[in-house]
Structure formats: C-alpha cells, structure tokens
Amino acid sequence: MAPHAVVVAGAGQAGLETAAALRARGYTGRVTLVGDEPPGPCHRPPLSKGYLTGAVPAEDVPLRPASFYAEQDVELLTGTTVVSVDRERHTVLLESGLRLPYGALVLATGCRPRPLPVPGASLHGVRTLRGLADAEVLRRALQGPPLRLVVVGAGFVGLEVAATARGLGHEVTVVETQPRALTRALTPAVSERIVAEHRAQGVRVLTGRQVAVLHGDDRERVRAVELADGERIGADLVVVGIGVLPNTEPARAAGLAVDDGVLVDAGLRTADPDVWAVGDCASFPEPRTGRRMRLESVQNATDQARCVAAAICGEPHPYTAVPRFWTEQYALRVQMAGLTSGHDETVTVGDVAGGRFSVLCFREGRLIGVESVNRPADHGITARLLAAGTALSPAAAREPGFDLKKLPRAPHSPTASPAPTVPTAPTSPTAPTSPTASPSGSRSEERLSVHA
Amino acid sequence: MAKITYKHPNGTVTVVDVEAPNTVMRGAKLNNVDGIEAQCGGSAQCGTCHVYVDSANTLPLPAMDEVEDDVLYGTACERTEFSRLSCQLPVTEELDGLLVHLPEAQS
Ligand code: FES
C-alpha cells in the first residue's frame, strides 16, 4: 500500500523530480518538498554558464513555474531544511520548528562546495558556486569591469566559470593541484582538448600547482593567490571549485549509514525500508560493477527520482540508468555516456586535430563509456547502445570507415538487458559483472565529481 | 504571442499561448505541459525535448542546424522526418497555430 505522505528533504533537481514523478504515477497522498533555497527548485547547469552572462534570464532558472506546485498539489516549503528524523514515529523536524509526519522519506539533500583549506579562504571576494544566491553574486561581479579572476580547481564548475568569465573579457587563471584537469572525470585526450581551448582563449591554466595562501588588503578583500612554489597571482575575485561534499547530516542524525553519501541499496533504499536517497547525496552500487558511487548530474537526479517514486508506488526496481552528462565551454560541447573510469582500452573516432572526436572506452572488450567532443550524435547513439547492452568490440570500432551513425538503431531501453549483437561487431568477451565491494582506500578513485 | 498545440500520445491536446522569445520547449515547461523533459535546459545536448512537427505543417520553422541533426540521433523514440528539438524552435508570431506531437518517451 502506498504511504499516506511523502516528505522529500531537499528541493534541488532530484527532490523536484521525485515529487513530479510521484504525481505523474498517480500518487494521491500528501507530498511535501523541503528546501533551503528561497526560490525553490532551480536549474543548476546555467548558473556556471548562461546565467552569469545574462543569456539565461532569471525567470528561466526555476525548474517549474510557481503554478506547478498548486496544480500538482505539491507543498513546497523553502527557506528551511530537515534537521532531524524520528524514524520510530515517522516524523521529520524542520529548522523552522515544524514537525511533519511521513510514510516515506526521500533524502535529496544534495551537496555543498568543499571549502578551500588554506589561510585567507574567508576573505571577501573568495566565492564558491552552488546555488542561485552564489551565482547572483558572481553574475554581478562578472558583468562589471574587467577583473583578475583566479579559479581554484579545474573541475567542471571551475572550468565553466573560467570559460564564461573569459568570454566576458576578464583575465583568468586556473590553478589545479592534479597534473591535469578533470583527472577523475575524463580521459586525457578529452581533458587536454578542453585545456588547450582554454589556453587558446587566453586563460592561464596551471596544473600540478597548489594554492598555499590567499592574501587580502586592509579591508579583508582578496588581492592575491600565493602558490606553494611562491608564485603570487594578483586577484580581484577567487572562485573555488574543488569538488563537493554530500549533505548527509539528516541521514547521520537519523542513524543511517553514511560514507561519502547516504548509503543505499541497488533500489536506492537505505537500511530503513521507509527511507530512500536520490541524486547527488546518494551513494549507490553501480549496477555494472557493484562499486559504490555518487553521481552529480541532472540525468542521475532525474532517473533516480523516478526509480524511487516507482518504488514508493509499489513498483521497486534496481536503478540501472546509463549515466549521461555534458558540459559546454566556449564552442566545445563535451558529452559523456556511461562511465569511463576503469577502462583498459580506448578507440578514438573522428578528427582529434579538428576538435571533433569521441573516445570509446572498453573494459575487457566491452564498451563501458564514451566521451565525445563536438560529436553529439556519437553521444546519443552510444548512450542507447549502453542502455540496450548492445555489444560493440574495439576491433569493430577500429575498422576503417566505422561510423556510429551507420549502426542499426539500438532499441529504447532504460534498463540494461541482453540485446542483439551489432552485426558488424564480433561478439566481445563478457566482463565479469558480479558485484564487488570497493576497498575503502580506493573510494576516492571511484568517485566521480560530475556536473551536468 | 503564438498559440502552440501539444498533442500527447494518448490523443489529448494542450493549447497554450507562448510569448516570444520563448522556445516551443519553454512554452511547454512554463505551462506544465507533460511530455517534454529538457534535461539540458535547452542547450541542444540531451535530446529530451524531442517533438514531431505535424506532417501537415506549413508554418515557417527555422532550418535544422548540424548540432540539432546530430542530437536527434540519440532520442528515446524513433526519429522521423518530422522530428525536431523543441528547444531549437523559437516561438514567433508566425508560428501561431503550430501543432507538435509529443513522443511516448523522452528518456
Ligand atoms: S532541452 Fe536538451 S536538447 Fe533540447
């Protein structure tokens, strides 16, 4: 029997999609969406891109118009958060003091930016970017006269902000600790292409360099970034994009297991049968390898929300959607389907020098993920191949004249299932798929910080 | 402003007034019309704003560019000669009366 009321803790993309998916399935109980951001659920992707330039106006940022909540009978409580959960009594306590009963509780609490652990990080002019309020501060600064901007961290958010700021005429330096940008998220060919574009556009990208201290003036405004090797970079604005931390406080307070995210099973349920977690905050077993992971993307938030809404309505199933995400920087359209970490072989198709190519990543002869640069057809086609479980061997992909567009269209299948082999591709050996627990020491290698 | 009609796979229709400079995708979102996901928010990345323009359409739609053509390879439902990304169709007065059919699924 469906629960009498669903409380969704967190009003980002995953929370909103959970509420919407419940109603789309005909759920008639009470649905309450609780979030701290005053405007309610927003599109995050434009906040590091079009919103900063003004190309995406403020009215395009809400995920749904205000009328949605009344029409769909979704109670939206903004400006507050869930602070504690009484699992025995099935109630949550909000920061506002309100206590809400639930039959099912969905944790969609998202993430917050990881703080920069160096002296000077709290100076004025040192910002992170997560919500609309952060973006608004950056938008005002970047729409003003030219600034010296230092971006700390060459991840997706940092690089998107760097590209946007450069496009607005600011002087931009990016500092990254790792030897290359986007180390964990992308293969070298693709991250190098992105960095090359930043450099061609006049951004200084420093990799393998560490920020040691931020210096301010007598009004506590940031003025310079000092690196560990002593170099000082003048700065009027510093944007820190060194990853995020999942918001796990309500789960922890409720006594639920937490380890870089709220731990859930293959159906996104916690150890408490009435509590689920979705989106950026959920640490779930990746269906193809069994390794725990968290994904930060619109697609993941949307598909996990639907999976949990189905479970609450009495149709539980494992979460198996193929991860998809994308970023746009300058004229680069970078897209990823599947997961490329752990590949042992790659085949590159297209024109690398011309900046239009895809890197097909295989593990034990099986396609596991594809990264595409300005090849949107490859992205869409391979996402379908991965979802359908269609075999494609490295040998087939290396054939002269190989073109993904010429393959027969893979059937639409949101879940992985055995599917016919592509005629042009010899059958590939099957990778072992038995779930294996990730050794705790290697977790950070598996974690993807993905922004789409 | 233009009247845009969205026809759902089950035959129901929703008619809404859409103001320029919104797109056919935004027109659906602003009016809570189901059946268009638009996961990428209109940046021609996701292919989840797929529509079929009515086969009898005579209204002047913008030509499809290469990116849109490429993204349409990845739609959940079969691509046809009438397939478009609704985020790439800006609404103008000239589109008053446009009829688009929504696919069974977007993702
Ligand atoms: S909204 Fe993503 S392609 Fe149109």
Side-chain angles (χ1 to χ4, degrees), chain A residues 60 306 333 335 356 384 409, chain B residues 37 43-45 66 75:
Chain A
D60 282 6
R306 286 187 191 147
R333 183 180 293 274
Q335 298 170 297
R356 293 160 70 101
R384 297 174 59 89
R409 195 181 149 87
Chain B
E37 285 185 24
S43 53
Q45 294 254 29
E66 201 189 338
T75 54

Side-chain angles (χ1 to χ4, degrees), chain B residues 14-53:
Chain B
T14 315
V15 186
V16 301
D17 290 325
V18 184
E19 304 265 2
N22 287 304
T23 59
V24 172
M25 177 277 277
R26 287 283 305 158
K29 290 305 231 183
L30 288 169
N31 292 284
N32 299 316
V33 179
D34 284 341
I36 288 183
E37 285 185 24
Q39 288 188 14
C40 74
S43 53
Q45 294 254 29
C46 69
T48 65
C49 65
H50 180 202
V51 296
Y52 303 107
V53 174

Side-chain angles (χ1 to χ4, degrees), chain A residues 9 44 59 93 103 173 236 271 299-300 362 367 450:
Chain A
R44 282 193 215 286
E59 59 266 27
L93 177 66
T173 307
D236 307 303
Q299 170 275 321
N300 185 65
F362 298 86
L367 186 69
V450 167

Side-chain angles (χ1 to χ4, degrees), chain A residues 113-128:
Chain A
R114 188 185 288 273
L116 183 64
V118 304
S122 57
L123 288 166
H124 296 303
V126 181
R127 311 292 312 186
T128 53

Side-chain angles (χ1 to χ4, degrees), chain A residues 342-373:
Chain A
H343 66 264
D344 54 22
E345 189 174 0
T346 62
V347 177
T348 302
V349 298
D351 175 8
V352 178
R356 293 160 70 101
F357 62 97
S358 292
V359 180
L360 280 59
C361 296
F362 298 86
R363 184 181 168 84
E364 294 172 29
R366 208 181 154 94
L367 186 69
I368 56 167
V370 179
E371 296 167 3
S372 302
V373 179

Side-chain angles (χ1 to χ4, degrees), chain A residues 13 17 24 43 45 59-65 67-69 71-72 298-300 302-303 306 324-328 332-335 356 374-381 384 405 409 411-412 414, chain B residues 21-23 25-26 28-34 36-48 50 52 65-79 88 104-107:
Chain A
Q13 183 107 32
E17 298 290 350
H43 278 291
E59 59 266 27
D60 282 6
V61 174
L63 280 168
R64 292 288 191 281
S67 59
F68 167 84
Y69 302 94
E71 256 176 48
Q72 295 291 311
V298 172
Q299 170 275 321
N300 185 65
T302 307
D303 288 335
R306 286 187 191 147
R324 289 180 72 171
F325 45 92
W326 43 79
T327 176
E328 243 177 311
L332 289 183
R333 183 180 293 274
V334 179
Q335 298 170 297
R356 293 160 70 101
N374 289 347
R375 297 264 290 195
D378 288 0
H379 170 73
I381 293 166
R384 297 174 59 89
K405 286 184 180 176
R409 195 181 149 87
H412 171 54
Chain B
N22 287 304
T23 59
M25 177 277 277
R26 287 283 305 158
K29 290 305 231 183
L30 288 169
N31 292 284
N32 299 316
V33 179
D34 284 341
I36 288 183
E37 285 185 24
Q39 288 188 14
C40 74
S43 53
Q45 294 254 29
C46 69
T48 65
H50 180 202
Y52 303 107
D65 67 15
E66 201 189 338
V67 169
E68 181 179 351
D69 181 49
D70 264 22
V71 173
L72 283 167
Y73 277 88
T75 54
C77 286
E78 200 70 47
R79 174 187 190 167
Q88 302 301 304
E104 291 279 350
Q106 292 284 8
S107 66

Side-chain angles (χ1 to χ4, degrees), chain A residues 214-233:
Chain A
L214 307 183
H215 297 286
D217 58 19
D218 50 11
R219 285 162 50 217
E220 295 286 293
R221 249 210 101 71
V222 72
R223 282 290 162 237
V225 173
E226 186 178 324
L227 305 186
D229 55 23
E231 182 177 344
R232 253 182 190 240
I233 306 162

